[in-house]
Amino acid sequence: MSATLMDGTALAAKLLDETTSRAQQFLADAGRKPCLATVLVGDDPASRTYVKMKMNRSAKAGIESVRNELPDTTTTRELVDHIEALSAGPAIDGILLQHPVPAQIDERAAFEAIAPHKDVDGVTMHSFASMAFGDTGFQSCTPGGIMRLIDAYDVDLTGARAVVIGRSPILGKPMGMLLLGRDATVTYCHSKTRDLPEIVAGADVVVAAVGKPEFVKGAWIKPGAVVIDAGYNPGNVGDVEYAGAAEAARLITPVPGGVGPMTIGVLLAQTVDAAYRRAARS
């Protein structure tokens, strides 16, 4: 068996077209563009590149972006104050705090300073609870993008055994909640899980989000499984040993071009959602 690639680039382009049309309609209705505020702390080159890319994509979609840059000496209190001001700002629809932040900052405290109705990146505890209970809050963007990919390729999750490898609060944990909400039977694993190869071998759906290059071996994959690689490591390497996994799997995401484009697509779509919701409340 040779797996079919799950083309996140093509699906994200379609989502961007839809988001652009919605942003244009919002401008016509409200007299302004949806607005995303990005917050970058420090001068990490990768983070700077990611923020620039997101701002460029925002502009193409007709979303205004406001860039906020803070020095790498910023304290938790200073960052929280800054984010709370953005949360209260009448011109801002969504807030994105680029992570990771410098070591001296309590990242969770900074995330929690984002008002829930502006948490378009889905990083707050409020958003996690909404995902867990199937409410109408914002999804964490990478898990949300993965669910869109799964739906686009007609993967039936009802009763499926899904293994999520990774437990981060903005990827692994919400991913499991979204899968559970679609009637999959979910097992959370991580780098310290015992008998991990055997657990993965029984999975119909595998989501690798452990942050270790080629951690999931191709020999572990059940024939006909769906493999979602949410990792990105230097050298365009994911968390899954791609060549071996592609021989066994039915569907697999490439790295790059799979999950990554969908993450940005969901961020922009949720920014437009936030703008419409704020307008409806005013």
Side-chain angles (χ1 to χ4, degrees):
M1 181 178 294
S2 183
T4 297
L5 292 184
M6 303 175 79
D7 190 345
T9 300
L11 186 59
K14 181 179 179 182
L15 178 57
L16 183 62
D17 286 343
E18 295 170 355
T19 299
T20 301
S21 296
R22 294 173 59 230
Q24 291 172 343
Q25 187 61 54
F26 182 81
L27 174 61
D29 293 342
R32 67 173 183 86
K33 295 179 178 180
C35 183
L36 173 66
T38 62
V39 181
L40 175 64
V41 185
D43 200 29
D44 177 73
S47 293
R48 185 169 291 276
T49 297
Y50 292 147
V51 168
K52 182 178 180 180
M53 179 172 59
K54 290 166 184 174
M55 294 185 74
N56 289 340
R57 296 286 176 85
S58 295
K60 289 181 181 179
I63 297 171
E64 182 181 356
S65 55
V66 178
R67 188 165 182 163
N68 297 260
E69 296 188 12
L70 302 174
D72 58 10
T73 55
T74 299
T75 65
T76 298
R77 183 70 262 167
E78 290 169 338
L79 178 56
V80 165
D81 288 345
H82 191 87
I83 292 173
E84 286 179 344
L86 292 173
S87 290
I92 304 298
D93 295 303
I95 299 170
L96 167 70
L97 171 61
Q98 182 62 44
H99 47 87
V101 293
Q104 78 275 7
I105 292 175
D106 181 342
E107 186 174 75
R108 176 48 49 193
F111 282 152
E112 294 308 314
I114 301 172
H117 65 282
K118 296 187 179 184
D119 179 25
V120 294
D121 201 22
V123 296
T124 63
M125 288 188 282
H126 182 279
S127 291
F128 181 84
S130 294
M131 281 180 279
F133 283 91
D135 203 354
T136 57
F138 296 113
Q139 295 179 345
S140 295
C141 288
T142 298
I146 289 170
M147 294 303 294
R148 289 177 186 245
L149 267 173
I150 286 173
D151 288 342
Y153 284 85
D154 298 321
V155 177
D156 184 5
L157 293 173
T158 304
R161 286 181 287 183
V163 170
V164 178
I165 309 171
R167 49 183 170 175
S168 81
I170 58 175
L171 209 176
K173 289 179 181 178
M175 186 74 249
M177 290 295 101
L178 292 176
L179 290 166
L180 185 64
R182 295 285 294 277
D183 296 326
T185 300
V186 179
T187 301
Y188 282 103
C189 298
H190 46 80
S191 61
K192 296 179 177 61
T193 298
R194 295 175 182 173
D195 301 320
L196 182 59
E198 289 80 3
I199 296 171
V200 173
D204 302 304
V205 178
V206 179
V207 180
V210 71
K212 294 179 180 291
E214 298 188 335
F215 178 81
V216 178
K217 305 307 178 187
W220 301 357
I221 302 301
K222 174 183 176 180
V226 176
V227 178
I228 309 292
D229 192 342
Y232 185 79
N233 304 283
N236 290 336
V237 176
D239 288 356
V240 176
E241 189 179 52
Y242 179 83
E247 286 298 313
R250 177 172 67 89
L251 294 168
I252 191 170
T253 58
V255 176
V259 172
M262 292 303 301
T263 299
I264 298 176
V266 171
L267 171 71
L268 300 183
Q270 293 191 154
T271 299
V272 178
D273 290 341
Y276 270 107
R277 292 177 189 180
R278 282 217 308 143
R281 288 195 299 269
S282 62

